[in-house]
């Protein structure tokens, strides 16, 4: 497969994943559309290009690990897991239903392919650090990928983890910062400004790569570059658009945990058609 | 405390800095790689500062993380209310999937640590900062969830934990010939073996509980819950919904809050009188 074919294939897959997200949210009840769609291209590149994993053997020892620190975008990960084959796609219909294996936030014990429970923001990077140290102890030459949200940059534990990961020089820990510039209640710059982020991560001792988080080429180049960094944790700052792919939801905080009307639902699916 | 492990196994020791939240989540990650991490901080910080990390990832996920809270109770007598834990057992007990341990002495602590490592799932252990004589012996059996009978008796039963179990034994010995006191060391606070507690209190109406902890949510509450269907008179020795304070020595502070042999004797007299 040529590079161009690979990129096109991944882009197509990302569209399918975004469709799953919209279908899971459905009509009339709230769902995390915005933050799921801002991370959709990144998660697609991880599950369908970068990570070594086996949906038929989710606990395979020699696998890369993925953590969604911004656990509220769980529906996005469920879409990626179903597309990968961890469970049947029909299961996606049961998200958040009583007794479902697909909880409102990722649940380690209930869903195959979920590596740790997340949802209380700011904790995924620390969990990833523990996994990275565990890999080092066992000489497992794999990586831990953690998607961190923009709003959760305000959590103090993020910076504890930032210091700790640099202190332990874990170059098998790759954070991807979904910088969509919005939190639930509005623009981060206006609500609680955590900028400038890039100098902060550099000062904390991380190797920082800045990309367009919707440019598949840039995403996979950055993920590959991370393989060659030695002695430092890696932070990929991915500039993204909240709600990406659905015109009315883009850059619109109302769709952080938004409700779709029948009309909006149909329009969203139409925009995500091939 | 953790320095002994560091000396022995430097490659498996991680200094996590003064950052309890990151420490607990990092431990969660290590456990997800199949390790059995033991984390250590002051009881007040392990249970308080990192509560959310323990709850969200470790307890919901039933992860194999062992949480060691030292300087528990009043045992950090000098540092005052900020460093003395009166509510750590209550906090940990309230979290589903959590096992809560409180050893009576150093001999039992050593057995407990091994049992914790063998036990699958999250465990919290509270530890005393000060040295005192052992009351249990190497050959005494220990199993998580099984209370230990320290002394038999028929008039009153005292359920006690930690250093207060030592003091309960002293109280029972002092009352020998006057009141026959049964003393039970409840070193597993959760899961509490309710059937054994009921059995140990069988035929005795007068019950005393004793703990170096708030009487709200700790051993006393657990015992009262276990005996709720029995006809009993219960007195609770412990911190009466209050914080600790600084003192020049441990004994002075325990005395200030009535966490003494005399305090237990008083409670024994009260339950006998009221039964």
């Amino acid at each position: 497969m040529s590079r161009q074919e690979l990129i096109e294939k991944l882009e197509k897959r990302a569209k399918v994943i975004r469709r799953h997200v919209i279908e899971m949210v459905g009509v009339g009840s709230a769902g995390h559309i915005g933050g799921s769609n801002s991370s959709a291209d990144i998660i697609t590149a991880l599950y369908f290009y970068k990570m070594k994993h086996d949906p038929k053997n989710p606990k395979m020892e020699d696998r890369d690990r993925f953590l969604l620190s911004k656990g509220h975008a769980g529906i996005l990960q469920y879409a990626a897991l179903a597309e990968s084959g961890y469970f049947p796609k029909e299961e996606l219909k049961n998200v958040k239903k009583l007794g479902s294996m697909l909880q409102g936030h990722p649940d380690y014990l209930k869903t195959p392919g979920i590596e740790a429970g997340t949802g209380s923001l700011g904790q995924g990077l620390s969990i990833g650090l523990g996994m990275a140290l565990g890999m080092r102890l066992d000489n497992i030459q794999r990586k831990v990928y953690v998607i961190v949200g923009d709003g959760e940059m305000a959590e103090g534990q993020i910076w504890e983890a930032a210091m700790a990961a640099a202190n332990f020089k874990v170059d098998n820990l790759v954070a991807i910062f979904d910088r969509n510039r919005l939190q639930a209640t509005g623009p981060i710059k206006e609500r609680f400004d955590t900028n400038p982020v890039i100098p902060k991560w550099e000062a904390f001792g991380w190797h920082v790569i800045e990309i367009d988080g919707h440019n598949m080429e840039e995403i996979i180049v950055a993920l590959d570059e991370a393989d060659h960094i030695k002695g430092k944790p890696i932070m990929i700052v991915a500039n993204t658009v909240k709600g990406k792919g659905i015109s009315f939801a883009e850059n619109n905080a109302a769709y952080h945990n938004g409700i779709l009307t029948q009309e909006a639902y149909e329009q969203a699916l139409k925009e995500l058609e091939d | 405390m953790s320095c002994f492990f560091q000396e022995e196994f430097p490659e498996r020791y991680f200094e996590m800095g003064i950052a309890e939240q990151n420490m607990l989540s990092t431990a969660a990650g290590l456990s997800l790689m199949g390790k059995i991490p033991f984390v250590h901080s002051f009881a007040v910080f392990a249970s308080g500062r990192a509560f959310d990390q323990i709850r969200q990832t470790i307890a919901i996920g039933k992860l194999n993380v062992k949480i060691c809270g030292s300087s528990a109770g009043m045992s950090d007598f000098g540092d005052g209310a900020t460093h003395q834990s009166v509510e750590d057992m209550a906090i940990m007990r309230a979290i589903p999937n959590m096992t809560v341990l409180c050893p009576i002495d150093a001999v039992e602590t050593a057995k407990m640590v091994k049992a914790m490592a063998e036990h699958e799932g999250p465990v919290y252990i509270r530890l005393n900062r000060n040295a005192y004589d052992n009351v249990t012996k190497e050959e005494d059996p220990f199993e998580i969830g099984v209370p230990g009978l320290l002394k038999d008796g028929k008039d009153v039963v005292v359920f006690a934990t930690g250093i207060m179990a030592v003091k309960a034994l002293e109280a029972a010995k002092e009352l020998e010939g006057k009141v026959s006191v049964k003393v039970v060391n409840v070193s597993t606070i959760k899961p509490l073996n309710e059937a054994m507690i009921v059995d140990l209190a069988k035929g005795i109406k007068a019950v005393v509980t004793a703990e170096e902890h708030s009487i709200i949510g700790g051993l006393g509450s657990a015992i009262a819950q276990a005996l709720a269907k029995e006809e009993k008179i219960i007195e609770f020795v412990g911190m009466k919904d209050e914080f600790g304070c600084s003192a020049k020595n441990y004994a002075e502070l325990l005395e200030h809050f009535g966490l003494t042999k005399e305090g237990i004797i008083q409670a024994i007299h009260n339950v006998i009188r009221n039964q």
Side-chain angles (χ1 to χ4, degrees):
Chain A
M1 199 188 323
S2 74
R3 184 79 166 180
Q4 195 48 42
E5 283 168 342
L6 168 72
I7 301 284
E8 277 167 22
K9 210 176 152 201
L10 289 170
E11 285 170 347
K12 230 175 200 175
R13 182 81 79 168
K15 228 170 207 183
V16 173
I17 283 175
R18 284 189 167 96
R19 282 183 66 89
H20 285 314
V21 165
I22 296 302
E23 283 164 359
M24 270 184 273
V25 173
V27 175
S29 59
H32 288 95
I33 300 165
S36 293
N37 280 348
S38 62
S39 291
D41 299 302
I42 299 159
I43 210 167
T44 302
L46 285 168
Y47 275 93
F48 299 96
Y49 168 71
K50 192 65 201 170
M51 290 200 299
K52 179 177 178 184
H53 65 120
D54 182 1
K56 299 285 167 271
N57 182 14
K59 299 284 182 195
M60 175 178 71
E61 194 176 90
D62 181 35
R63 70 186 187 277
D64 290 310
R65 312 263 171 153
F66 171 75
L67 297 168
L68 186 67
S69 190
K70 42 176 283 185
H72 52 274
I75 49 174
L76 171 69
Q77 191 177 4
Y78 301 154
L81 290 171
E83 272 296 307
S84 299
Y86 281 84
F87 46 80
K89 287 173 205 160
E90 293 74 61
E91 195 62 41
L92 296 177
K93 294 191 184 90
N94 298 324
V95 69
K96 291 204 251 183
K97 278 187 192 161
L98 190 63
S100 169
M101 69 180 217
L102 304 177
Q103 296 290 298
H105 287 79
D107 189 302
Y108 169 66
L109 295 177
K110 291 191 164 78
T111 315
I114 295 296
E115 299 281 13
T118 51
S120 182
L121 294 173
Q123 302 183 8
L125 208 50
S126 305
I127 302 167
L129 168 61
M131 290 176 167
L133 291 171
M135 285 180 182
R136 182 189 281 179
L137 284 175
D138 289 345
N139 201 23
I140 296 170
Q141 301 295 317
R142 304 305 324 169
K143 285 202 154 33
V144 186
Y145 297 95
V146 186
I147 293 186
V148 184
D150 207 342
E152 74 174 322
M153 279 296 126
E155 289 280 7
Q157 193 184 343
I158 288 280
W159 303 100
E160 290 186 2
M163 284 185 279
N167 171 68
F168 290 111
K169 301 180 169 58
V170 281
D171 48 24
N172 53 344
L173 178 64
V174 182
I176 302 129
F177 172 23
D178 176 8
R179 193 190 197 187
N180 62 29
R181 298 177 191 271
L182 289 175
Q183 61 186 70
T185 50
I188 278 158
K189 244 186 162 52
E190 291 170 21
R191 308 302 302 184
F192 184 88
D193 195 358
T194 48
N195 291 295
V197 286
I198 290 172
K200 284 194 183 95
W201 286 96
E202 283 171 346
F204 274 76
W206 287 56
H207 179 87
V208 180
I209 307 168
E210 187 179 13
I211 59 163
D212 172 350
H214 301 304
N215 183 317
M216 201 55 84
E217 171 77 26
E218 286 189 30
I219 296 169
I220 66 176
V221 166
L223 291 172
D224 288 343
E225 182 186 331
D227 290 345
H228 304 292
I229 308 305
K230 296 282 167 238
K232 275 180 168 194
I234 297 97
M235 167 55 77
I236 299 173
V237 176
N239 294 306
T240 58
V241 173
K242 196 152 181 163
K244 178 74 178 176
I246 303 154
S247 56
F248 59 85
E250 286 190 2
N251 284 319
N252 186 350
Y255 287 94
H256 169 82
N257 192 17
I259 298 174
L260 297 170
T261 60
Q262 183 67 37
E263 194 188 358
Y265 176 77
E266 280 165 20
Q267 191 192 328
L269 288 181
K270 197 156 186 276
E271 289 183 23
L272 293 169
E273 267 171 21
D274 260 329
Chain B
M1 196 176 76
S2 16
C3 57
F4 301 120
F5 186 87
Q6 182 182 16
E7 280 167 23
E8 205 67 33
F9 307 103
E11 73 291 346
R12 286 195 281 128
Y13 172 86
F14 299 99
E15 172 55 60
M16 298 309 293
I18 304 164
E20 295 82 2
Q21 304 177 31
N22 180 59
M23 173 171 74
L24 266 299
S25 299
T26 302
L30 278 163
S31 78
L32 288 161
M33 294 301 296
K35 305 298 173 198
I36 310 172
F38 279 70
V39 303
H40 169 230
S41 180
F42 284 69
V44 72
F45 305 131
S47 65
R49 190 105 188 203
F51 167 78
D52 190 53
Q53 288 70 16
I54 293 169
R55 179 192 188 277
Q56 301 291 359
T57 309
I58 295 168
I60 292 179
K62 297 184 184 173
L63 301 187
N64 210 12
V65 176
K66 315 302 170 182
I67 305 152
C68 308
S70 64
S71 294
M74 295 297 112
S75 68
D76 183 5
F77 52 86
D79 278 332
T82 54
H83 285 57
Q84 295 159 347
S85 64
V86 296
E87 70 283 64
D88 57 315
M89 291 200 287
I91 292 169
M92 288 296 138
R93 235 188 107 218
I95 303 175
N97 300 333
M98 185 62 70
T99 292
V100 181
L101 306 177
C102 177
I104 184 172
D105 59 15
V107 169
E108 192 179 49
T109 304
K111 292 174 198 164
M112 244 179 209
V113 169
K114 284 183 189 143
M116 285 167 79
E118 283 158 18
H119 176 88
E120 184 71 31
V123 182
Y124 174 77
I125 184 172
R126 84 186 312 237
L127 299 165
N128 196 299
R129 186 184 176 111
N130 303 305
Y132 54 87
D133 291 341
N134 288 304
V135 295
T136 63
K137 296 184 186 68
E138 293 290 346
E139 60 270 25
D140 292 343
F142 173 77
E143 198 183 320
I144 291 175
V146 180
L149 182 64
L150 294 176
K151 185 190 165 294
D152 210 354
K154 55 181 178 37
D155 298 332
V156 178
V157 56
V158 182
F159 293 104
T161 192
I163 195 171
M164 294 309 287
V166 178
K167 295 189 184 297
L169 195 56
E170 288 168 8
K173 282 179 181 160
E174 188 162 315
L175 290 172
E176 252 169 28
K178 288 175 250 163
V179 187
S180 171
V181 181
K182 183 190 276 194
V183 180
V184 180
N185 170 30
V186 188
S187 55
T188 302
I189 306 297
K190 188 189 167 189
L192 189 69
N193 193 325
E194 297 199 0
M196 282 189 81
I197 297 297
V198 168
D199 202 47
L200 284 158
K202 191 162 271 171
I204 305 175
K205 197 174 175 189
V207 178
V208 170
T209 69
E211 62 199 303
E212 193 190 3
H213 181 276
S214 174
I215 57 168
I216 299 174
L219 174 74
S221 298
I223 294 291
Q225 207 164 354
L227 297 176
K229 289 185 185 136
E230 311 284 315
E231 208 176 304
K232 307 284 184 194
I233 300 290
I234 309 180
E235 277 270 328
F236 305 95
V237 176
M239 298 292 286
K240 307 282 192 292
D241 196 19
E242 62 196 324
F243 287 112
C245 60
S246 287
K248 284 291 182 189
N249 66 64
Y250 189 33
E252 180 190 28
L253 190 58
L254 291 177
E255 200 185 326
H256 177 74
F257 289 110
L259 305 175
T260 54
K261 175 184 72 179
E262 291 73 23
I264 294 169
I265 289 172
Q266 183 60 53
I268 289 169
H269 288 318
N270 289 349
V271 282
I272 288 173
R273 196 173 52 243
N274 294 332
Q275 71 180 341

